[in-house]
Structures are given as C-alpha cells and as structure tokens.
Amino acid sequence: MAKDHGTQIKDDGLYEELRKQGDSKEKAARIANAKANGSLDHRGDRLDDRTKADLLKEAREIGIAGRSTMDKAALASAIRNHR
C-alpha cells in the first residue's frame, strides 16, 4: 500500500513508482496529479514526432536552461533526460 503523501499528491501509488524510477519530486507530483484529475496530456510517446515549437514550450515549462539555442534533437534529448 502506498504511503499517504498528503493532500498535495493525488495519486500516491503513481507518485512513489515515478520516484523509484528516478523522477524528481516535482516531476513525479506533476504527473501523478495530472493523471489523477484526468488532465494528463497525451501528445504522443515519441518526442521526435513532435514539433520544435511544442518541444520548446515543454522545455520552458520544466525549466530547461539554454533551450532557445537548441535544435529539435537537442530539445528532445534534454526533455527526455530531465530529472
């Protein structure tokens, strides 16, 4: 049974699983809460299939430094490796 992380985490089990996989507390909470309230954005599993503008937007949202000088491949790699 998942530990209760308080009211700020809506899906404790998913949060714990994401933390075990190495995701940051912030990222795990964001994903767990989005999944719990049904707003998880299903833009596709492959970052390479998304537009550069979409990747830039996501990089901005998660705070990747130097994103404005990155090409599409570098953005996808930075998002994929963000922890």
Side-chain angles (χ1 to χ4, degrees), residues 16-68:
E16 287 183 11
E17 183 61 34
L18 292 167
R19 291 290 293 143
K20 285 179 189 173
Q21 293 175 16
D23 288 339
S24 69
K25 289 179 181 180
E26 177 184 306
K27 183 176 181 181
R30 189 171 51 243
I31 292 169
N33 291 341
K35 177 134 175 131
N37 73 18
S39 67
L40 190 60
D41 190 358
H42 298 285
R43 291 178 280 200
D45 297 330
R46 300 213 35 197
L47 291 172
D48 300 327
D49 293 340
R50 293 167 50 189
T51 66
K52 182 177 178 183
D54 189 34
L55 294 174
L56 273 169
K57 180 181 177 194
E58 183 166 344
R60 185 179 322 108
E61 289 171 359
I62 60 178
I64 294 175
R67 64 188 173 268
S68 63

